[in-house]
DNA sequence: GTCTATAGTGCGATAGAC
DNA sequence: GTCTATCGCACTATAGAC
């Protein structure tokens, strides 16, 4: 499915997309980052768009892993907190990456009508807002994920060390949801 | 200061940056959007970076207008709500633009150490969190602005009409800050 | 799976006429 | 303030050897 060579390309592209945007990243930059030629990259992915897709799907898979873990919890309250904590962890440990990839306009248009993404958002919405959340709850989920992602990217926040950032984000995210405990 | 020709360039560039990212937007695209040649664009701005700067400063000016209006209010509570409402209005009426410009990695690095941006964020922080907010309050401000901006860009939310979006965002933003009234 | 070499296109930027 | 024309370069993508 995903070879070692492909995994190297995805990892390199992810970092470069985050730093320069999708449009500002060339195949030459990706090839140089791994230490191979452009042709070697083209052997794995026929077009740049395929690379963009692969990177985005890889990030989406990381979110799905969080969802699966949360859905395995015994109670809805535990599941909600696991989802919340998992999203915070994802944003903090991968910092600018997962996060700024998903806010790139190119990726946004590529996935705006993607069923897979809708499905993931629905699962996340269900975990965070409960099964009986109306359509309004989707805005709440969107705001929360944007708040978490956007905060770690923020120029004035990025100096903080991971542990305090994680703790503060968790606290504020819980407050947004109206949850007090852990 | 800013001529009519420059204003046309900034407006065109803003829309294109939002759709394709800064790196994915060429000077030819900007020129075509206005209906002039590349050379005409170069007559106004000597480099692409100058255009990027001008666009970002223009967006920052829109935020400053909101701040000035809020700071003119009589009470801190009124000022806070005016700032909150102003930021929501900005995000909703300009939708993907103000918002996705400021999240572009190229713009982010260009302004990460910009005194002007820090000043604007401090004023916003003071309005939203009060004068005695510690350093932790900056994270709260960053989360709130990211939540507002990110929510209007979100693929699953962008279908909503402006009025309901504005109302719901305002409600949720107030809840995040722990304010109940209007 | 990687390379060199190259085709063809579009880029940012400049010169000079009107 | 706008144009045409052009430079030199980097880009995406392909062909073919190893």
């Amino acid at each position: 499915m995903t070879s070692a060579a492909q995994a190297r390309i995805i990892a390199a592209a992810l970092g470069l997309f985050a730093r320069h945007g999708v449009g500002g990243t060339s195949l030459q930059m990706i090839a140089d980052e791994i230490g191979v030629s452009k042709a070697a990259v083209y052997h794995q992915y026929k077009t740049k768009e395929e690379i963009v897709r692969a990177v985005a799907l890889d990030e989406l898979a990381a979110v799905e892993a969080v969802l699966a873990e949360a859905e395995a919890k015994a109670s809805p309250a535990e599941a909600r907190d696991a989802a919340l904590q998992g999203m915070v962890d994802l944003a903090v440990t991968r910092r600018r990456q997962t996060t700024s990839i998903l806010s790139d306009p190119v990726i946004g248009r590529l996935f705006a009508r993607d069923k897979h993404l809708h499905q993931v958002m629905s699962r996340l919405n269900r975990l965070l807002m409960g099964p009986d959340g109306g359509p309004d709850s989707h805005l709440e989920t969107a705001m929360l994920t944007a708040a978490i992602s956007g905060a770690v990217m923020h120029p004035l926040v990025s100096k903080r060390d991971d542990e305090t950032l994680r703790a503060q984000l968790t606290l504020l995210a819980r407050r947004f949801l109206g949850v007090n405990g852990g």
Side-chain angles (χ1 to χ4, degrees), chain A:
Chain A
M1 195 102 272
T2 303
S3 69
Q6 287 174 330
R8 280 199 302 275
I9 291 173
I10 290 177
L14 173 60
L16 290 166
F17 288 170
R19 285 204 295 283
H20 305 107
V22 173
T25 301
S26 70
L27 294 186
Q28 186 66 68
M29 291 162 78
I30 297 175
D32 288 349
E33 185 92 354
I34 316 173
V36 298
S37 72
K38 278 189 291 183
V41 175
Y42 269 105
H43 179 72
Q44 303 296 337
Y45 296 102
K46 282 197 280 283
T47 64
K48 184 180 175 180
E49 183 174 319
E50 273 189 29
I51 299 179
V52 174
R53 269 213 143 72
V55 169
L57 286 176
D58 198 59
E59 293 307 298
L60 210 53
V63 176
E64 288 186 270
V66 167
L67 296 181
E69 204 182 335
E71 285 162 350
K73 296 289 177 186
S75 75
E78 284 175 290
R80 176 168 62 175
D81 209 64
L84 190 153
Q85 193 70 67
M87 293 301 287
V88 169
D89 282 353
L90 215 57
V92 171
T93 57
R94 307 181 77 147
R95 281 280 167 132
R96 351 193 108 242
Q97 299 190 345
T98 300
T99 244
S100 56
I101 279 301
L102 295 174
S103 71
D104 190 284
V106 176
I107 304 234
R109 252 204 311 295
L110 206 62
F111 279 84
R113 297 179 181 180
D114 185 276
K115 274 205 257 177
H116 198 166
L117 176 64
H118 282 238
Q119 205 178 71
V120 168
M121 276 299 297
S122 288
R123 283 171 69 192
L124 180 59
N125 189 70
R126 190 182 190 82
L127 281 165
L128 292 177
M129 303 297 164
D132 46 314
D136 289 6
S137 69
H138 280 83
L139 178 63
E140 219 169 322
T141 300
M143 273 185 88
L144 184 60
T145 55
I148 294 171
S149 296
V152 302
M153 284 208 305
H154 203 284
L156 305 182
V157 169
S158 50
K159 299 286 178 195
R160 239 163 274 219
D161 72 284
D162 286 5
E163 271 317 309
T164 51
L165 184 57
R166 196 196 312 268
Q168 291 175 334
L169 272 178
T170 305
L171 202 75
L172 290 169
R174 284 199 186 115
R175 200 180 76 189
F176 179 74
L177 286 181
V179 188
N180 295 322

